[in-house]
Structure formats: C-alpha cells, structure tokens
Amino acid sequence: MVSDSPNRPLSGLFADDPEMCAVPIIGDAWEGAERAISARLEAENDLRLSDLLAMDRIVRAGRGGIRTNVLARALAIPSNRLTYRLAGLQKRAYVVRS
C-alpha cells in the first residue's frame, strides 16, 4: 500500500529507510516538471511531451518501425489515445505510418 503522505514510508518494506520517505515528493516534483516541459513544447512547437517520447521510441525502433500496440505499451498509454496522437503527428509530417 502506497502512502499519500510525504512524511510516511511507502510500504513496510521501506519502513526503516528514511530516504524512501522522499519518494512521493520526488513524484510530485517530476509531475510538475513534466507539465512544465509539456506546456512549453506545446506553446512553442505544437507538441506534447508524450509526442516527443513517442517519436523517440519510433526513431529507436529503426527502419522497421514499431507496431502501435507495442508503442502504446512502452509509453504506458491506451492504444486509442496513441492512435489519435499519431494521426496528429502524421498530419504535421512528423511521422509516417504504414
């Protein structure tokens, strides 16, 4: 069971490790940074961080490409949402689907 308080450990496993009390704080900080990066990308390039991460995975897959369901699983997002985002990237010529 995960604690919702930054003052308590995440689980019994880490109960004796004071450093683990900071994990929820780091999570909150990461989410804030992720929102800030996404907002700037969207304002300046009409892209979201998830778009950039998807394009990174596509490039890493090489010439053979990557299947949509594999990419969705790697990005931990639903396939239907990924399909919508890929259509937008394709429309702007960032990706080519085949």
Side-chain angles (χ1 to χ4, degrees):
M1 180 174 191
V2 175
S3 170
D4 59 353
S5 169
N7 300 324
R8 291 180 288 182
L10 289 177
S11 72
L13 179 64
F14 301 114
D16 296 326
D17 187 352
E19 291 182 20
M20 291 309 296
C21 291
V23 172
I25 296 168
I26 293 168
D28 291 343
W30 174 253
E31 288 176 13
E34 190 174 20
R35 280 192 300 273
I37 292 167
S38 288
R40 187 158 182 187
L41 275 171
E42 197 162 356
E44 295 178 6
N45 303 299
D46 195 29
L47 289 172
R48 295 180 181 174
L49 182 56
S50 60
D51 296 333
L52 194 60
L53 294 173
M55 289 189 291
D56 177 65
R57 290 285 183 146
I58 292 167
V59 168
R60 288 173 189 248
R63 292 179 67 60
I66 187 169
R67 297 184 57 83
T68 304
N69 63 334
V70 174
L71 182 58
R73 201 171 327 120
L75 297 172
I77 61 174
S79 293
N80 60 341
R81 191 165 85 194
L82 177 63
T83 300
Y84 173 78
R85 297 304 304 162
L86 289 175
L89 292 173
Q90 183 180 8
K91 185 177 179 180
R92 292 175 291 180
Y94 284 116
V95 298
V96 175
R97 294 184 74 187
S98 61

